[in-house]
Amino acid sequence: MRALRLPGWKSEPELVEVAEPTPGPGQVVVKIGAAGACHSDLHLMHDFEAGAVPWNPPFTLGHENAGWVHALGDGVTGLEVGQPVAVYGPWGCGTCARCRVGVDPYCENPAGAPVPGGGGGLGLDGGMADYLLVPDARHIVPLPAGLDPVQAAPLTDAGLTPYHAIRRSWPKLGPTSTAVVIGVGGLGHVGVQILKATTAARVIAVDTREEALRLAEECGADLALRSGAETAQEIRKVTGGRGADVIVDCVGADATLALGVAAARTVGDLTIVGIGGGTLPVGFFSVPYEVSIQTTYWGSRPELIEVLELGARGMIHPKATTFALEDAMTAYRKMADGTLEGRAVVVP
Ligand SMILES: [Zn+2]
Ligand SMILES: [Zn+2]
């Protein structure tokens, strides 16, 4: 079968022929219907080096995967060959306190996981291939009726990650509240939709790119602001001076974090989703009173079920641009130069 493999750190992926996987006991092989291309894959190719994460190349890229059950290992029950499924991406040990409640990204026994702190496309072979070996059937989530793999694949990360980030702030997102999404890329455009679908907040989207602001408006943003020196003041102005109750920063750079704090209302939430690597001084006088600043990483298995339900009911709809597996590098190049709209999805 074909697979888009990352041969080493600081290298370009290569499309190569590899052996088709066979499932061991308790495992599942999925025929890939769609694999999302994530901005974090660019960091894997260009920025990471040995020691940055607890695993190393070579492996097949692709950590947003959906398709159809292809083969079941011994002992797997409750799934049928041909059934459409999504793959829950973070693969923890399955037995620690976090994994038991479906929060594999925060697995506390990484030595007991298939790969410590990773998953398919993150240390182990991912879904930019014809088939994907899923090491435990518990990572398979059947697709609700009406959701196809091209829509489902981006929901497993570009949907799940902002959903998890927004869900924690639901109590602060009543009808008089304002939410700000910074960065309207793969995650941010779904984040805008999730806010509109699950809360009554007014939604403001912020980006540096004109096309991204148009996409935000298509996704239901009430206001789309070109990011600049005045952005925080503009947000304060349209919120009667109060500031935004919830800020979801899908970039995570120094400048966007500073904007988040400058635009935050007292008792607000600032959630750092993007892995831009920025930092923020936090102290008694540097942030508004009782602002909660939190990172989040990916989401839980129960939340994935909820996100897929929103997708199946048409309440969220990732803007997917499809590419053949042979053209996956074109997708990444467009992502790198900022000309990709929404999410790139590779269909092998
Ligand atoms: Zn990702
Ligand atoms: Zn665990």
Side-chain angles (χ1 to χ4, degrees):
M1 69 167 189
R2 301 162 305 159
L4 185 75
R5 291 178 68 77
L6 185 68
W9 296 125
K10 309 217 174 198
S11 62
E12 290 285 294
E14 298 166 348
L15 187 62
V16 294
E17 278 292 320
V18 297
E20 206 179 296
T22 49
Q27 301 182 334
V28 178
V29 170
V30 172
K31 179 176 164 56
I32 292 295
C38 182
H39 201 270
S40 59
D41 295 334
L42 294 178
H43 292 288
L44 296 179
M45 296 173 204
H46 304 310
D47 303 324
F48 285 14
E49 41 194 43
V53 286
W55 32 264
N56 287 297
F59 55 85
T60 302
L61 290 169
H63 57 267
E64 283 190 341
N65 303 304
W68 302 272
V69 172
H70 178 69
L72 299 170
D74 285 346
V76 178
T77 56
L79 294 170
E80 279 173 33
V81 171
Q83 183 177 3
V85 294
V87 180
Y88 179 62
W91 296 342
C93 75
T95 54
C96 74
R98 296 283 184 245
C99 286
R100 281 194 188 281
V101 293
V103 190
D104 285 46
Y106 305 151
C107 174
E108 290 173 321
N109 176 27
V115 66
L122 299 166
L124 291 177
D125 288 342
M128 297 256 174
D130 293 302
Y131 298 97
L132 168 67
L133 176 65
V134 179
D136 193 307
R138 74 195 167 87
H139 302 308
I140 301 288
V141 180
L143 292 190
L147 193 62
D148 69 22
V150 170
Q151 278 291 300
L155 292 178
T156 65
D157 177 14
L160 178 57
T161 299
Y163 184 77
H164 176 74
I166 289 163
R167 202 181 193 286
R168 83 170 184 106
S169 297
W170 274 352
K172 297 184 181 179
L173 291 168
T176 61
S177 70
T178 300
V180 173
V181 175
I182 304 175
V184 190
L187 274 67
H189 88 284
V190 189
V192 169
Q193 297 178 14
I194 290 166
L195 283 162
K196 296 304 288 188
T198 66
T199 81
R202 177 160 56 156
V203 178
I204 300 175
V206 177
D207 203 292
T208 54
R209 301 162 298 152
E210 204 54 54
E211 324 80 69
L213 298 178
R214 281 200 300 274
L215 175 60
E217 283 166 348
E218 270 176 54
C219 292
D222 299 284
L223 182 62
L225 294 176
R226 187 89 178 241
S227 129
E230 309 294 310
T231 310
Q233 275 166 276
E234 288 175 63
I235 292 169
R236 289 216 173 267
K237 203 167 140 196
V238 298
T239 54
R242 294 188 297 271
D245 299 77
V246 172
I247 294 129
V248 179
D249 183 355
C250 295
V251 180
D254 285 342
T256 57
L257 294 172
L259 166 62
V261 159
R265 186 181 186 183
T266 52
V267 201
D269 286 348
L270 169 58
T271 303
I272 306 168
V273 175
I275 58 171
T279 56
L280 180 69
V282 174
F284 199 92
F285 300 106
S286 65
V287 299
Y289 290 129
E290 289 195 33
V291 165
S292 155
I293 296 165
Q294 187 169 309
T295 58
T296 63
Y297 176 55
W298 223 330
S300 73
R301 190 177 288 98
E303 286 167 342
L304 177 57
I305 293 166
E306 294 174 357
V307 169
L308 294 174
E309 182 68 19
L310 288 174
R313 285 160 59 187
M315 297 173 78
I316 59 174
H317 186 82
K319 181 153 188 152
T321 309
T322 57
F323 293 83
L325 189 51
E326 294 75 17
D327 300 327
M329 288 314 295
T330 309
Y332 284 117
R333 272 189 286 273
K334 286 173 80 75
M335 193 189 293
D337 65 24
T339 57
L340 185 75
E341 205 185 35
R343 199 57 151 182
V345 175
V346 170
V347 176

